[in-house]
Amino acid sequence: MSDKPVTANSEPAKPEAAKPKAANADATKAGISQESTAKAGPAAGAATKPTETAKHQPAAKKRTDSHRSPLSLLAMLIALLAAGAAGYGLWLLQIQVPLGAQLVKTQAALQTQVAQLEQGLQLSRAELTKQTRAQQVVEDELQTLGTAMQDLSASLGRSTVAWRMAEVEYLLTVANHRLILAQDRETAIAIFETADERIRAIGDTSLLKVRKAIADELQALRALPEVDVAGLALRVGSLLDSVEQLPLRDKNRIAAATRETSAETPPADWQQFALAVWNDLKSLVQVRRHQQPTEPLLPPDQTRHLYQNLSLKLEQARLAVLQRDTALFHQYLTEAEDWIRHYFEAESAAVVNALTTLDTLADSELRPTMPDVSASLRLLREVMQQQRTATRVDSKQGTTE
């Protein structure tokens, strides 16, 4: 027990090398005090220890505090730094755990997106490759077609001017067909005018003679008499509607006899009766002079067929007008006129008007003589043949070179 305070007091005294004598004196005093303490017993030792400790504590405390203050501050600073570093490390650890998990998730999502993008990129590359191949095939086909068209154009000599001239040739051909086959003067004139406009748009001086021929042909067509087909057909139709109003010869005579009988009055005496009988006897015999043989009269039940036959002839005449058949039209008009003169009352105003209309219609010419309009087409084909020949010669010269 007595050694511990000594040891504690002796450890800080090590640095005091400048005072050896004082230290030895203290040690001698301490040894003496320890021996007296041991002899005196426990009671004496207990009484002397606090006194000695109290004597040495202020000096040792001063020396210890003086030497410990920088070290303790340094230790405290190191401890604080260590605690701060530990807290910072713990805080970083707490933060890094969720950040690490979030980073793992983000990395996994990014990898998934990258995989999807790579897959889409591969599909896009495949589709692009497919489209590139298809485009290449189309380009090859277009190149082949262009080569074929160039070869065809070179072989046939079909330039832009040649195609326009071919169009003019077609128009002139149609105009000739319409004029010759259908006698359609108006349509032919319109087609010739269109062909002349096409040639003017071409602007080739070699086609001037073709335009001169077209102008002559248009002048000849405009000089033709105009046939009013629609008007003639309407006039025949009007005459056809008035057939039922034409009186027959039998009907006129019977109607006159009926009127005379109804107008007579009964005789007043025997002389008047005898005169009436004599008049009746004279009416039974009629003398008529005919330059043609007399035809038998039709019975009343056949008069309907007579009107129908006359209507049929006029209907055929109207059809001939629409067909522009002059010969057939004149034939049906002549038959209708003969039919009316033989079976209808010639003195009737309706019959006279019908015969006059038939005579006027018979003077109509449905198909006048058409001029020759083939000169322009012939000249155009000659010019086209000359251009084809020149194109072939140029093509051969280019091949040779």
Side-chain angles (χ1 to χ4, degrees), residues 129-376:
T129 303
K130 183 179 179 180
Q131 292 180 359
T132 303
R133 292 177 181 176
Q135 184 178 2
Q136 186 65 33
V137 171
V138 173
E139 289 179 355
D140 294 341
E141 292 179 354
L142 289 176
Q143 186 177 2
T144 304
L145 183 60
T147 304
M149 290 296 295
Q150 290 178 359
D151 296 340
L152 182 61
S153 178
S155 60
L156 298 179
R158 295 288 188 178
S159 61
T160 304
V161 176
W163 282 110
R164 291 182 179 180
M165 293 175 66
E167 181 184 3
V168 175
E169 180 185 9
Y170 171 75
L171 291 174
L172 294 179
T173 303
V174 173
N176 279 268
H177 289 171
R178 292 297 301 174
L179 190 63
I180 296 173
L181 301 179
Q183 299 289 313
D184 192 353
R185 183 180 69 94
E186 290 77 11
T187 304
I189 290 175
I191 296 175
F192 275 116
E193 291 176 350
T194 303
D196 184 66
E197 290 293 330
R198 295 289 189 276
I199 295 176
R200 186 180 65 83
I202 294 174
D204 191 351
T205 56
S206 61
L207 298 176
L208 291 177
K209 55 183 179 181
V210 179
R211 293 192 66 186
K212 177 63 171 59
I214 291 176
D216 295 340
E217 291 165 354
L218 284 173
Q219 184 66 26
L221 289 176
R222 292 190 179 99
L224 288 175
E226 184 176 358
V227 179
D228 188 7
V229 177
L232 292 176
L234 291 176
R235 293 181 66 182
V236 175
S238 177
L239 183 60
L240 179 61
D241 295 336
S242 65
V243 168
E244 298 291 338
Q245 301 176 1
L246 299 179
L248 293 172
R249 287 185 176 181
D250 290 347
K251 287 185 178 181
N252 191 14
R253 188 178 61 187
I254 293 173
T258 303
R259 287 195 301 271
E260 291 177 0
T261 304
S262 61
E264 292 179 353
T265 58
D269 51 10
W270 62 272
Q271 293 179 353
Q272 292 180 357
F273 178 76
L275 181 60
V277 171
W278 174 250
N279 290 330
D280 290 337
L281 291 175
K282 288 193 302 181
S283 64
L284 293 177
V285 179
Q286 293 183 0
V287 178
R288 294 182 180 180
R289 298 182 182 275
H290 294 279
Q291 297 179 357
Q292 297 179 356
T294 304
E295 297 180 358
L297 298 176
L298 292 175
D301 57 346
Q302 295 184 5
T303 57
R304 185 62 185 172
H305 298 289
L306 182 61
Y307 284 108
Q308 290 179 353
N309 289 335
L310 180 59
S311 299
L312 181 60
K313 292 182 182 299
L314 292 176
E315 187 66 36
Q316 290 175 341
R318 182 166 62 177
L319 182 61
V321 171
L322 298 177
Q323 294 177 351
R324 292 177 177 269
D325 192 341
T326 304
L328 193 60
F329 175 64
H330 290 169
Q331 177 183 347
Y332 287 128
L333 290 181
T334 302
E335 291 179 0
E337 183 179 358
D338 294 341
W339 201 273
I340 292 174
R341 290 183 185 278
H342 282 82
Y343 294 101
F344 292 89
E345 185 63 37
E347 298 177 357
S348 174
V351 174
V352 173
N353 187 21
L355 293 175
T356 303
T357 303
L358 290 175
D359 292 338
T360 304
L361 292 175
D363 295 335
S364 302
E365 181 65 31
L366 301 179
R367 191 182 291 268
T369 302
M370 295 295 172
D372 184 14
V373 293
S374 61
S376 59

